[in-house]
Amino acid sequence: MKKKIYCLLVMLLVCVTLTAQKREQYEFYKNLPKYAEELIADLDYPMAWGKSKIKNFTKWKKAARAKVFECMLTPPPPADSYEMKVVAEEQRDGYRARKIEIRLSRYYTVPALVLIPDGKGPFPAVNLLHDHGAHLYIGKEKMIRPFAVEEEVVKDADAWADNLYEGQYVGDFLARHGFVVFSADAPMWGERGRAEGVDRSKYDMIAGNMMMYGVDLSAYMTYDDISGTEFLATMPEVDARRIGCMGCSMGAYRAWMLSALSDRIKAGASVCWMVTTDVQMTWKYGRSENGGFANCLPGLRRWMDYPHIASMACPKPMLFINGSKDKLFPVPGAEKAFGIMHEVWRSQGADDRLTTEIWDIPHSCGRQVQAKVLSFFQENL
């Protein structure tokens, strides 16, 4: 017993010593380099619409997309076909729920949940893209009420819905109003996580290891979102001409990325994820977290900022909502990004199709926001 106590004390002393080790000179402060402002000043975004040498908007979109895909590195090899397996099915109030597995790549199958309204289709559809939240235990279950799983998963999903979505699953809400809804786990979330269990700190390590293979974990998420949308378009219950996408937080990032990179998407809604790099990657707003591997594409910021990429969705109808109390995305960054996007939509005579709003909310997607999203999709899909 004394030996065990001694070993624990030694380990504690080592940990304290390591965390206290500092040098008088240093190059990094908190999560950023000391020269962060100089790095920001050197970003001139030469591929942004209006700065690019390409003046034809259609040709610019093609070139800008190509640059984004270049920075996304090697895509996962596609599957020969979207093999789909129904794992479980249940009837809900006005719609059916299916738990499925689909082969989106030669490398892997992807677990997903699908909701199909009762009645005669085909129906409009929405690809729902789940959030990050530093909570990787569940993914698709954040958007659609889970079933045919352990009780622990259901309790966790209910608690998450209560916290971020005001007790209402976005997917079930949209399905009750006549939309086919699809939601899949992103890499590292839900049933695509680690065999050893959830450990948020391992995400960055695995993302770094993926780069050693010449691929990017964040890009795989976007590639899968594109492929998942293509699968959605093959479903007989879906009108492939009326597919939209929506998400909150990281799901919002995924939504505008998908809207920018996929012609399948006809309208997109993003809640609480839009900013400019000069506001995101600075100490000025007291943020403890800045960028991250979940939205890191190598070298892309040397070509375009976030709103420039989102602008590739123009002239599609797009809805952006940010929160005035959102500590992750300061209002000045959101407003600046919205201004950049409106310039693009105006340049194409489509500014009436871009809706950008700052709500008096924190980082969340409550029932009133969901009602706004529903109205947006009813009007545009």
Side-chain angles (χ1 to χ4, degrees):
M1 183 65 179
K2 289 182 179 179
K3 187 176 180 180
K4 288 184 177 179
I5 293 174
Y6 173 77
C7 290
L8 287 171
L9 288 172
V10 170
M11 290 174 65
L12 180 60
L13 180 62
V14 169
C15 289
V16 171
T17 302
L18 287 175
T19 55
Q21 286 183 316
K22 295 182 180 180
R23 300 291 296 271
E24 290 185 8
Q25 288 186 265
Y26 59 89
E27 192 167 330
F28 297 86
Y29 172 66
K30 293 186 176 179
N31 299 321
L32 302 175
K34 288 184 359 180
Y35 44 87
E37 298 304 322
E38 288 91 333
L39 283 171
I40 289 172
D42 285 341
L43 296 176
D44 57 358
Y45 308 121
M47 276 294 293
W49 175 248
K51 289 188 177 181
S52 171
K53 295 179 181 178
I54 304 172
K55 302 306 177 184
N56 177 280
F57 192 72
T58 301
K59 291 181 179 178
W60 170 78
K61 283 178 63 172
K62 183 177 180 180
R65 271 190 185 180
K67 179 56 68 176
V68 174
F69 282 122
E70 176 187 322
C71 293
M72 285 169 63
L73 305 182
T74 308
D80 292 333
S81 63
Y82 295 120
E83 298 174 22
M84 192 267 286
K85 173 184 176 182
V86 178
V87 177
E89 190 168 8
E90 73 172 20
Q91 181 67 35
R92 296 183 179 175
D93 185 17
Y95 56 99
R96 285 169 293 143
R98 287 179 186 164
K99 184 177 182 181
I100 65 173
E101 293 178 357
I102 50 174
R103 181 161 291 282
L104 293 186
S105 167
R106 178 163 52 84
Y107 290 159
Y108 49 77
T109 58
V110 174
L113 292 171
V114 180
L115 304 178
I116 302 170
D118 295 341
K120 183 177 175 59
F123 303 98
V126 177
N127 188 347
L128 277 186
L129 307 153
H130 68 73
D131 59 75
H132 187 307
H135 187 67
L136 283 66
Y137 181 62
I138 52 174
K140 59 191 179 297
E141 298 89 357
K142 295 177 178 181
M143 308 306 290
I144 294 174
R145 180 163 56 84
F147 70 110
V149 291
E150 303 89 340
E151 184 63 24
E152 181 182 1
V153 175
V154 178
K155 289 181 178 179
D156 194 70
D158 284 344
W160 195 259
D162 287 341
N163 180 53
L164 193 64
Y165 299 98
E166 207 172 347
Q168 179 170 265
Y169 287 94
V170 184
D172 293 76
F173 174 65
L174 292 176
R176 286 196 299 272
H177 287 85
F179 291 85
V180 170
V181 179
F182 170 89
S183 188
D185 287 331
M188 283 292 288
W189 271 267
E191 295 174 286
R192 300 182 72 184
R194 298 169 64 246
E196 300 86 352
V198 174
D199 183 344
R200 167 64 183 88
S201 67
K202 298 297 183 183
Y203 184 94
D204 296 346
M205 176 67 74
I206 290 173
N209 286 339
M210 292 286 278
M211 288 186 180
M212 298 298 286
Y213 297 110
V215 301
D216 182 86
L217 187 59
S218 176
Y220 263 41
M221 177 173 67
T222 299
Y223 281 126
D224 286 350
D225 291 342
I226 295 170
S227 296
T229 305
E230 291 297 325
F231 163 76
L232 186 57
T234 68
M235 291 180 58
E237 300 91 346
V238 170
D239 182 347
R241 299 166 299 176
R242 295 186 291 159
I243 298 178
C245 64
M246 179 269 174
C248 172
S249 192
M250 182 185 76
Y253 162 83
R254 296 168 66 189
W256 57 254
M257 280 288 287
L258 179 58
S259 299
L261 298 176
S262 171
D263 291 332
R264 284 285 186 194
I265 297 297
K266 304 305 179 185
S270 294
V271 179
C272 290
W273 207 121
M274 181 46 71
V275 72
T276 53
T277 296
D278 60 344
V279 172
Q280 181 193 38
M281 303 299 292
T282 182
W283 299 285
K284 294 178 182 178
Y285 298 92
R287 299 182 64 236
S288 60
E289 182 182 357
N290 298 87
F293 276 109
N295 60 276
C296 178
L297 302 177
L300 183 54
R301 209 57 60 238
R302 290 284 160 175
W303 298 98
M304 287 176 283
D305 202 358
Y306 302 117
H308 304 140
I309 299 164
S311 292
M312 288 191 291
C314 178
K316 297 175 186 177
M318 294 291 293
L319 170 66
F320 289 86
I321 296 174
N322 271 48
S324 62
K325 299 176 182 176
D326 190 337
K327 295 180 181 179
L328 294 180
F329 299 97
V331 170
E335 290 180 335
K336 184 175 181 180
F338 291 167
I340 291 170
M341 290 189 291
H342 275 289
E343 286 182 9
V344 178
W345 263 260
R346 273 196 299 271
S347 76
Q348 302 307 305
D351 198 44
D352 59 327
R353 299 183 186 179
L354 175 63
T355 302
T356 59
E357 299 177 350
I358 304 290
W359 286 38
D360 185 29
I361 57 173
H363 194 74
S364 63
C365 184
R367 290 173 180 251
Q368 284 187 312
V369 175
Q370 292 179 44
K372 175 75 174 186
V373 170
L374 171 64
S375 177
F376 170 78
F377 282 136
Q378 287 175 330
E379 181 181 348
N380 293 290
L381 293 180

